Amino acid sequence: MQVFIAFLVSCTLLMVMSWIVAFDPGLSLKPKAEVTRGIFVKNYIDQSQEFGLCAVALAYPIITFLRTRRILLAALLIAIAMSFVVNMAFVVVSRTALVTIPIMLAVFALLHLNWRVSSSYCV
């Protein structure tokens, strides 16, 4: 759990810097010849895959918090997950990550939600 939380925190900080670098590319730590809008340290493929993984991995704690009526924590995690997706869609567009996210969410629904709920999400 500690590793997941550390990864989530690091990706969230990377996302914040991605938004900042999207508006001011001069703040990137990459060499000037390689500066890309919205990329702070890595390349867009790695960044998008990490953001996609975090967005999908947050689905389980979100569902858990909603089931236990911890709405505020669930809302916070939903906001973070949506920020990852919006960043991938508008700042650093990675088609592969955007295609794999629905597939990972469908697999999550089939594994962790009951069949009636899962089938209504997949249709």
Side-chain angles (χ1 to χ4, degrees):
M1 185 57 79
Q2 293 173 343
V3 173
F4 172 70
I5 292 170
F7 183 71
L8 178 64
V9 168
S10 69
C11 285
T12 303
L13 292 174
L14 180 62
M15 178 190 56
V16 169
M17 286 308 300
S18 176
W19 282 109
I20 292 171
V21 171
F23 294 108
D24 187 4
L27 295 175
S28 177
L29 292 180
K30 296 178 77 168
K32 294 295 180 194
E34 298 177 18
V35 171
T36 306
R37 186 181 69 85
I39 306 298
F40 181 60
V41 178
K42 301 179 180 188
N43 61 38
Y44 77 97
I45 296 170
D46 291 336
Q47 184 170 309
S48 294
Q49 293 301 326
E50 290 171 359
F51 289 179
L53 177 63
C54 283
V56 171
L58 283 173
Y60 184 76
I62 288 170
I63 295 295
T64 302
F65 287 144
L66 289 174
R67 286 180 180 162
T68 59
R69 308 266 192 266
R70 297 171 76 182
I71 304 301
L72 188 59
L73 284 173
L76 175 66
L77 293 182
I78 289 170
I80 292 171
M82 291 308 297
S83 295
F84 284 130
V85 173
V86 169
N87 187 288
M88 288 187 317
F90 294 111
V91 176
V92 181
V93 178
S94 172
R95 295 178 303 261
T96 305
L98 293 176
V99 168
T100 57
I101 286 176
I103 295 168
M104 289 189 293
L105 285 174
V107 170
F108 168 80
L110 291 172
L111 291 175
H112 294 287
L113 301 176
N114 67 30
W115 182 250
R116 282 182 270 176
V117 175
S118 298
S119 63
S120 68
Y121 285 135
C122 293
V123 174

